């Protein structure tokens, strides 16, 4: 089966295309959800020249957009002040104390898709595709696409073939980061319907140092593939620390008071189409789960 | 941690504070503060969790900045006046700079931003040491210097009481609540510093006793959020019934001990014709009282929905050492009738 023709840089003119900025760098097929904004990924595809535009040419000035932005941010600020008068996170304290389940993301309209960012190895020159749309009756989200693990031929990349969906960082007024506070809960509850593929759930917590910005806490999500919905409950104590995909030796539990994003990644080296339908993503408190952390840390160089 | 290292670090912390207490030369005082800071840093990042390391770094940066400002101010004073003695700072610039440096060291508003984040990253015991022991040395220095700028201390004090009250209002993390409570109490201490320094010392010691009780109660329950406190009735029923008294004492309600410092401070401020300031400070104490009451509401006055399994821990004997908690809780609740004796003791 031949690969579909892709209207990007052909292999034979790779070298000339690298130095020729007139070739379109992005594929013609649009993604259903916009790619990550510049603020979220300052990634340069290997083999591509850097964009050397001065800052005043990179910014687009628009007066009406500016006014819209000002009104939007001041409205958010006023909302923050009034939420503070009600209670923590805008809810009365009794609600905060009694909460045992909370649905964080559910897909009930097109606006819910705007909270998610898709990415695949197309960014580094691979051929996987990923799309996100609403499922039937606007009740679920449908993540689908094709996985291709053929690595891009740029001389740098050796492995490829991944697709992922990541939630956007919640922001308050003036684009300040807001963190999810899940300290009252201890389990992640997902309702999904997959196609039998093994996915990875990645949670990104707030970090202080720049060398920790790629720290993710991951766990596996094995989907069944049947026509029936699957309720997956993963305790947060099971999440292990990874950095840029590599599991770390020094493990520590995920602290739930400052969670930034959650993401789902597929990279099981099985080329072909994939589908994942998500009904909701929530957190719940499992009273019977008392484990703090599932992994023991052994000394790597024990003195004998 | 290796017990030898732990011993050395604890001794070093004690040594740092003692050196500051024993000093009359600014350099020695600064040295004591630095030894104190450096000794607590390994204790803070013991657990190697990124949040603990973040808290340690933030603490180190703020304390180092404050110590540098202190050293700069004392060198400026030595340059102008020619002497290094602690008590003889007569020029306003070095004195103001020293006051601001010490305010940063202890976490007075508007230099308080590091306190909640640092306390949130630490475990409860280290947070207790940070809130209590680490305040002793800077307060000693604050008590020694003659404040040149009367309004600076009043502004710092009032801002701290207000920020401590407002900031803690919507927190559900106990360590952040304790941080804001610390800021508010430090504000009360600073308000009366220039008029009646013994009251500052009294407030500080009372605050130590009350905070110690509260931290250890939370440690016994192993809880760091308001929601997890709701199960304390099943772990230690007696502690759950005493904690509201500790919290009301922190809020400054009679007939508990916490009323003593607030009452005497308000009296002193009124004597100094600062009645509006006293009123504002008393009103800001109501804000703090609100979140103390919220903790006691979650812990003692209500029962959260739960399963039967979690209602049984009280049946098992506990190995926790609760004697210090018992002593400090008794002092927190019952010390008010001894007010005349305590005042006499402190003004000797």
């Amino acid at each position: 089966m031949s690969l579909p023709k892709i209207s990007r840089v052909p292999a034979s003119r790779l070298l000339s295309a690298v130095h020729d900025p007139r070739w379109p760098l992005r594929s013609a097929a649009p993604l259903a959800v916009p790619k990550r904004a510049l603020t979220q990924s300052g990634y340069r595809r290997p083999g591509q020249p850097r964009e050397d535009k001065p800052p005043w040419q990179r910014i687009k000035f628009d007066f009406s957009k500016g006014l819209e932005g000002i009104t939007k941010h001041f409205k958010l600020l006023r909302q923050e002040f009034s939420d503070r008068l009600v209670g923590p996170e805008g809810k009365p304290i009794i609600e905060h104390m009694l909460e045992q389940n909370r649905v964080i993301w559910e897909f009930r309209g097109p606006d819910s898709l705007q909270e998610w960012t898709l990415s695949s190895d197309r960014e580094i020159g691979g051929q996987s595709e990923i799309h996100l749309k609403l499922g039937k009756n606007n009740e679920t989200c449908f993540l689908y696409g094709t996985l291709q693990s053929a690595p891009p031929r740029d001389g740098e990349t050796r492995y490829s073939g991944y697709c992922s969906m990541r939630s956007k960082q919640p922001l308050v007024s003036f684009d300040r980061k807001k963190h999810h506070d899940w300290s009252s809960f201890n389990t992640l509850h997902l309702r999904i319907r997959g196609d039998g593929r093994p996915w990875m759930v990645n949670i990104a917590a707030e970090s202080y140092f720049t060398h920790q910005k790629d720290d993710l806490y991951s766990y596996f999500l094995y989907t069944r593939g049947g026509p029936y919905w699957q309720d997956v409950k993963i305790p947060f104590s099971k999440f292990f620390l990874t950095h840029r995909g590599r599991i770390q030796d020094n493990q520590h539990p995920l602290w739930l008071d400052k969670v930034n994003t959650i993401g789902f990644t597929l990279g099981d080296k099985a080329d072909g189409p994939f589908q994942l339908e998500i009904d909701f993503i929530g957190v719940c408190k499992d009273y019977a789960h008392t484990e703090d952390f599932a992994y023991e840390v052994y000394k790597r160089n024990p003195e004998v | 941690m290796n017990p030898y290292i732990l011993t050395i670090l604890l001794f070093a912390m004690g040594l740092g504070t003692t050196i500051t207490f024993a000093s009359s030369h600014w350099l020695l005082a600064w040295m004591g503060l630095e030894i104190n800071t450096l000794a607590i840093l390994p204790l803070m990042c013991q657990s190697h969790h990124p949040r603990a390391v973040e808290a340690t770094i933030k603490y180190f940066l703020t304390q180092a900045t404050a110590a540098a400002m202190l050293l700069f101010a004392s060198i400026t004073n030595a340059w102008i006046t020619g002497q290094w003695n602690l008590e003889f700072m007569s020029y306003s610039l070095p004195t103001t700079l020293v006051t601001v440096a010490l305010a940063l060291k202890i976490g007075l508003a508007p230099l308080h931003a590091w306190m909640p984040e640092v306390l949130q990253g630490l475990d409860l015991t280290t947070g207790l040491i940070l809130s209590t022991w680490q305040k002793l040395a800077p307060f000693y220095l604050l008590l020694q210097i003659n404040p040149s700028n009367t309004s600076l201390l009043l502004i710092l004090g009032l801002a701290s009481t207000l920020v401590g009250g407002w900031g803690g209002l919507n927190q559900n993390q106990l360590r952040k609540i304790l941080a804001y409570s610390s800021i508010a109490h430090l504000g009360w201490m600073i308000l009366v510093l220039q008029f009646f320094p013994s009251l500052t010392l009294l407030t500080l010691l009372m605050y130590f006793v009350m905070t110690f009780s509260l931290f250890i109660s939370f440690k016994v329950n192993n809880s760091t959020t308001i929601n997890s406190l709701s199960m304390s009735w099943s772990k230690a029923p007696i502690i759950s019934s005493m904690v509201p008294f500790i919290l009301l004492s922190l809020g400054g309600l009679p007939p508990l001990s916490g009323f003593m410092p607030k009452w005497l401070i308000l009296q002193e401020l009124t004597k100094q014709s600062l009645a509006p300031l006293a009123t504002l400070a008393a009103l800001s104490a109501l804000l703090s009282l609100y979140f103390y009451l919220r903790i006691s509401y979650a812990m003692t006055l209500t029962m959260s929905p739960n399963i039967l399994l979690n209602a049984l821990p009280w049946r098992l004997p506990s190995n926790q050492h609760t004697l210090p908690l018992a002593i400090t809780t008794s002092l927190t609740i019952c010390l008010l009738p001894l007010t005349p004796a305590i005042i006499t003791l402190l003004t000797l």
Side-chain angles (χ1 to χ4, degrees), chain A residues 27-298:
Chain A
S27 79
L31 289 177
V33 170
K35 283 193 179 161
R36 267 185 274 191
L38 280 171
T39 46
Q40 279 194 321
S41 81
Y43 179 75
R44 174 191 67 90
R45 182 177 140 183
Q48 297 297 337
R50 283 178 207 279
E51 265 192 38
D52 274 329
K53 273 204 235 160
W56 55 89
Q57 283 178 11
R58 274 186 239 158
I59 307 173
K60 294 192 193 79
F61 287 103
D62 189 359
F63 188 67
S64 59
K65 259 178 79 178
L67 271 181
E68 257 177 54
I70 291 175
T71 43
K72 175 182 129 192
H73 286 301
F74 274 105
K75 270 202 187 112
L76 285 173
L77 189 65
R78 200 181 58 187
Q79 178 70 29
E80 258 186 81
F81 274 116
S82 56
D83 279 348
R84 205 172 162 74
L85 295 172
V86 175
E89 292 170 328
K91 293 184 300 227
I93 187 74
I94 189 79
E95 220 178 283
H96 172 83
M97 278 165 54
L98 289 174
E99 226 178 8
Q100 295 175 32
N101 300 285
R102 192 197 290 181
V103 173
I104 318 281
W105 290 279
E106 57 178 3
F107 302 90
R108 299 290 183 259
D111 294 336
S112 56
L113 295 184
Q114 300 303 321
E115 293 169 20
W116 294 86
T117 299
L118 300 177
S119 74
S120 66
D121 68 353
R122 182 157 283 207
E123 288 176 359
I124 58 167
Q127 292 149 28
S128 312
E129 287 179 9
I130 185 167
H131 309 280
L132 183 68
K133 65 176 189 192
L134 280 177
K136 282 194 187 146
N137 297 327
N138 287 0
E139 290 275 317
T140 61
C141 89
F142 197 75
L143 184 72
Y144 64 99
T146 319
L147 200 68
Q148 303 279 3
S149 44
R153 294 165 64 176
D154 52 14
E156 284 181 35
T157 320
R158 284 187 294 168
Y159 312 105
S160 187
Y162 67 87
C163 289
S164 87
M165 170 167 111
R166 192 171 178 178
S167 72
K168 288 193 181 144
Q169 166 88 50
L171 298 172
V172 281
S173 58
F174 301 102
D175 289 339
R176 289 170 297 143
K177 279 202 241 178
K178 186 165 79 164
H179 310 288
H180 296 284
D181 184 359
W182 295 341
S183 45
S184 327
F185 310 99
N186 62 2
T187 310
L188 184 69
H189 185 172
L190 312 164
R191 189 155 189 262
I192 54 169
R193 190 159 56 177
D195 55 352
R197 282 188 184 256
W199 289 75
M200 198 93 156
V201 185
N202 304 315
I203 296 182
E206 173 67 7
S207 63
Y208 183 62
F209 303 101
T210 44
H211 61 255
Q212 287 173 338
K213 74 168 163 35
D214 296 316
D215 273 1
L216 289 176
Y217 297 85
S218 316
Y219 200 67
F220 319 105
L221 174 66
Y222 290 102
T223 52
R224 275 214 195 107
Y228 301 111
W229 284 93
Q230 191 181 350
D231 273 292
V232 177
K233 279 190 171 183
I234 311 175
F236 288 117
S237 61
K238 301 283 187 200
F239 280 82
F240 52 85
L241 176 71
T242 61
H243 179 87
R244 296 180 70 101
R246 291 176 160 74
I247 304 178
Q248 300 301 301
D249 286 331
N250 292 327
Q251 290 289 331
H252 54 256
L254 163 65
W255 275 31
L256 293 158
D257 59 340
K258 279 189 179 168
V259 172
N260 282 351
T261 64
I262 195 170
F264 300 91
T265 305
L266 179 67
D268 61 347
K269 299 181 207 160
D271 291 358
F274 64 85
Q275 288 177 4
L276 180 70
E277 206 173 339
I278 307 179
D279 185 4
F280 66 82
I281 299 169
V283 285
C284 66
K285 190 170 182 174
D286 186 0
Y287 286 100
H289 184 79
T290 50
E291 187 183 55
D292 283 328
F293 191 48
Y295 311 103
E296 289 177 350
V297 181
Y298 296 100

Side-chain angles (χ1 to χ4, degrees), chain B residues 235-308:
Chain B
K235 293 178 200 166
I238 308 288
I239 293 180
S240 312
S241 49
M242 287 288 117
V243 163
F245 291 111
I246 303 173
L247 288 163
L248 290 175
S249 183
L250 266 172
L253 291 185
L256 306 166
S257 321
F259 179 59
M260 187 198 327
K262 291 204 162 69
W263 166 30
L264 296 168
I265 290 174
L266 289 175
Q267 193 175 4
E268 186 59 39
L269 286 176
T270 321
K271 278 190 211 165
Q272 302 285 339
S273 316
L274 288 168
L277 179 71
T279 316
L280 276 172
L283 289 174
S284 62
L286 286 176
L287 293 168
S288 307
L289 186 65
Y290 182 69
F291 58 78
Y292 295 139
L293 280 174
R294 184 180 264 180
I295 301 177
S296 55
Y297 177 74
M299 193 172 180
T300 314
L301 302 176
T302 53
M303 272 179 69
S304 289
N306 217 316
I307 57 177
L308 191 60

Side-chain angles (χ1 to χ4, degrees), chain B residues 38-76:
Chain B
L38 290 174
I40 201 178
L41 295 176
L43 291 174
M44 287 169 72
C45 59
Q46 266 184 72
S47 62
H48 300 291
H49 194 278
R51 295 289 295 280
V53 176
E54 174 193 336
T56 312
I57 294 290
K58 284 180 174 165
Y59 184 72
F60 170 68
L61 289 173
T62 50
Q63 301 290 305
T65 310
M69 273 166 68
L70 191 83
L71 191 61
F72 176 63
S74 53
I75 289 174
T76 310

